[in-house]
Amino acid sequence: MNYNIINKIIEINFKNKDKKYDEVKELTKNERTEYSQSDFRNDVIDEESFKTVCGRQWKKNLATLIPFVDMFKHISGREHIYEIPIPTTGELCEIYNGHVNVTRMLQLAKKVDLLKVINDTYQYNAWNEEDNHCKTYILNKNVQDLIIELCNKYSITHKTYIHNLNNNNEYNNNSVHIRDLTEFNIKINSGLNLRIPVATDEQIIDYVKEIYPQIEDYQKLADEINERHYANDKYKFGIKFQPKVTRNKGGLITSISIRATNGICSYKEHDNGKNTCRIWRKDVLDEYFGKDNYMEYDVKSSIYRLTHFLNFKVWLENSIDLYEEMYGQPFESEEQRKQYKLFAMKLYFDKSIGKLYTHTVRFAKEDYNKEKIDEITLKMELINMRSKMTDIIGQPFDSEIFLHESCIYMQLVDELFKLGFDVIQVYDGFYVRNRDDVNQEQFNDIVNDLLDTITFNYIKSYKI
């Protein structure tokens, strides 16, 4: 394999990525380190002023805002006012039934002085995930407390939205039967191209649950964990585990996906010394466990390690650097390892070499031409890189890997709770409150032993 060519391409990609997003980064850079109550209008202070701002629909507005308040109230109960990144996707879409309704709710929140926009720039689908960001706001605790007070006074409540297993389907499924869907290549995958006449998303999901029986089993487990351990923190830590059908504008099914998430997944891991007034994942963990009062276990290169296990039925120790194994030689620096780590996602998920080639030169057209690397040569190198990856971990599972990852790690969370640990999971990371009788090394051994057992039981139970 010609590492010099590939190293250059990866280097170019990241150099140009930085140039592409420099303008966005400059717009999102915020020098503010703290905020105060004076940053708000402060014209909504009691029931009368709330009614004045809202008009005749003030009760309806309360009902609209209370789910959002419940979701974010743990943030505002702090000594300082922090920036809050609020996306119009994800969990809020589930609560408010769509992006448009989330946008309307945020407009209402600004109208009643609950929220104030601090930065209205956003970026999605960046090459480097760290460059993605949403609009940021500050939250007015005084208005928040007023909304809670008025909702209690007038008995305005909302349904808890995290409930994964729904045994009472509310749609009419007489038009399509399960056997009628067997002729379609329905599966959990990010590259589908299915046109299924008449069938609704709910019917498709029912059929997906027939194909993957573990979905309902682990939806039930997620609900049990939420009720037993996160009853008072569902919006923050409650596990959400539900299939999703994605269609294009023409109604074609382009993907079926599922991955276990919770509220803390939306917080970035750290700030690298920037935007110190924002809330980061560590802030939420410190708030829950106490400052630095927790141990952490990360499953390294999780989807690749799990892919290797599903293909070869061997669970590799966490100390094995799969990125280096897939790359084929030691990395020259931590930055190069980081670059390959992001590049490996393209190698794993891109459906064809043509698509992988397009992604590779996407940010590097000018420099790529200067290097005079012809298209065929580059495609051959990309084929070699993918071949090296599959030699180590076996064939990729596309987005289905997130189903297996979610189930195995959810079982791990449940087992850790049974052992008396207080657990919070963020994808492939597990955080537990410090205990006098267990140190970090012992905790690592406990998790390794559990994973060794859980993974084999999982493939045996579901015949994978």
Side-chain angles (χ1 to χ4, degrees), residues 236-388:
K236 191 166 27 172
F237 304 128
I239 301 169
K240 179 187 172 186
F241 186 55
Q242 296 170 347
K244 179 182 179 182
V245 176
T246 302
R247 299 176 184 260
N248 64 16
K249 292 182 179 180
L252 213 64
I253 296 175
T254 56
S255 73
I256 299 174
S257 59
I258 184 170
R259 191 179 193 184
T261 62
N262 57 25
I264 195 175
C265 290
S266 62
Y267 293 98
K268 291 185 181 294
E269 189 171 359
H270 51 74
D271 64 355
N272 291 322
K274 299 179 293 184
N275 291 334
T276 55
C277 55
R278 283 185 60 173
I279 295 178
W280 305 95
R281 186 179 302 169
K282 188 179 186 306
D283 295 322
V284 181
L285 293 171
D286 284 342
E287 179 186 47
Y288 182 79
F289 292 121
K291 186 169 178 58
D292 298 324
N293 187 36
Y294 57 87
M295 295 178 284
E296 176 183 356
Y297 185 100
D298 286 313
V299 181
K300 306 298 183 185
S301 48
S302 174
I303 63 170
Y304 312 106
R305 196 170 303 277
L306 187 53
T307 298
H308 177 278
F309 171 75
L310 294 175
N311 282 314
F312 302 114
K313 308 303 184 278
V314 176
W315 183 257
L316 298 175
E317 294 182 4
N318 219 28
S319 58
I320 297 175
D321 187 349
L322 273 179
Y323 290 118
E324 191 170 280
E325 295 291 330
M326 293 186 297
Y327 186 56
Q329 67 174 19
F331 294 112
E332 297 176 0
S333 64
E334 185 59 32
E335 180 62 23
Q336 187 184 61
R337 183 181 184 277
K338 177 183 175 183
Q339 292 171 359
Y340 178 77
K341 181 178 177 180
L342 294 174
F343 194 71
M345 294 290 285
K346 303 296 181 184
L347 289 173
Y348 189 95
F349 287 105
D350 279 355
K351 298 294 185 297
S352 67
I353 291 300
K355 187 174 181 180
L356 180 59
Y357 167 82
T358 300
H359 278 153
T360 303
V361 300
R362 181 178 175 185
F363 302 121
K365 290 182 179 178
E366 181 181 347
D367 296 66
Y368 172 78
N369 291 333
K370 286 180 182 178
E371 292 299 313
K372 296 181 180 179
I373 305 171
D374 66 89
E375 180 177 337
I376 294 178
T377 301
L378 176 56
K379 285 184 176 179
M380 289 302 298
E381 294 302 334
L382 292 173
I383 290 172
N384 288 337
M385 289 190 78
R386 176 171 280 175
S387 177
K388 184 62 178 176

Side-chain angles (χ1 to χ4, degrees), residues 160-219:
T160 301
Y161 84 99
I162 298 180
H163 189 75
N164 296 290
L165 189 61
N166 185 4
N167 295 318
N168 298 310
N169 293 324
E170 298 178 355
Y171 60 90
N172 183 346
N173 64 352
N174 293 327
S175 58
V176 176
H177 299 284
I178 293 297
R179 65 176 181 271
D180 298 325
L181 298 177
T182 57
E183 64 186 271
F184 300 97
N185 187 26
I186 297 174
K187 58 184 177 179
I188 295 175
N189 194 280
S190 62
L192 300 177
N193 191 29
L194 303 177
R195 186 176 297 280
I196 305 178
V198 183
T200 65
D201 288 357
E202 290 84 357
Q203 291 162 335
I204 299 296
I205 287 172
D206 266 5
Y207 183 69
V208 168
K209 290 181 179 180
E210 291 286 328
I211 304 172
Y212 304 96
Q214 62 264 55
I215 291 178
E216 283 203 348
D217 293 342
Y218 282 90
Q219 284 183 320

Side-chain angles (χ1 to χ4, degrees), residues 30 32-35 71-87 115 118 134-139 144 236-237 263-272 274-288:
N30 196 334
R32 288 287 295 272
T33 57
E34 60 182 44
Y35 298 91
M71 188 173 185
F72 286 90
K73 64 184 179 184
H74 68 280
I75 293 174
S76 64
R78 296 161 174 251
E79 182 180 351
H80 302 291
I81 296 174
Y82 290 84
E83 286 184 27
I84 309 172
I86 303 178
L115 291 177
I118 296 301
C134 53
K135 294 182 181 181
T136 55
Y137 304 78
I138 52 175
L139 180 64
Q144 171 199 275
K236 191 166 27 172
F237 304 128
I264 195 175
C265 290
S266 62
Y267 293 98
K268 291 185 181 294
E269 189 171 359
H270 51 74
D271 64 355
N272 291 322
K274 299 179 293 184
N275 291 334
T276 55
C277 55
R278 283 185 60 173
I279 295 178
W280 305 95
R281 186 179 302 169
K282 188 179 186 306
D283 295 322
V284 181
L285 293 171
D286 284 342
E287 179 186 47
Y288 182 79

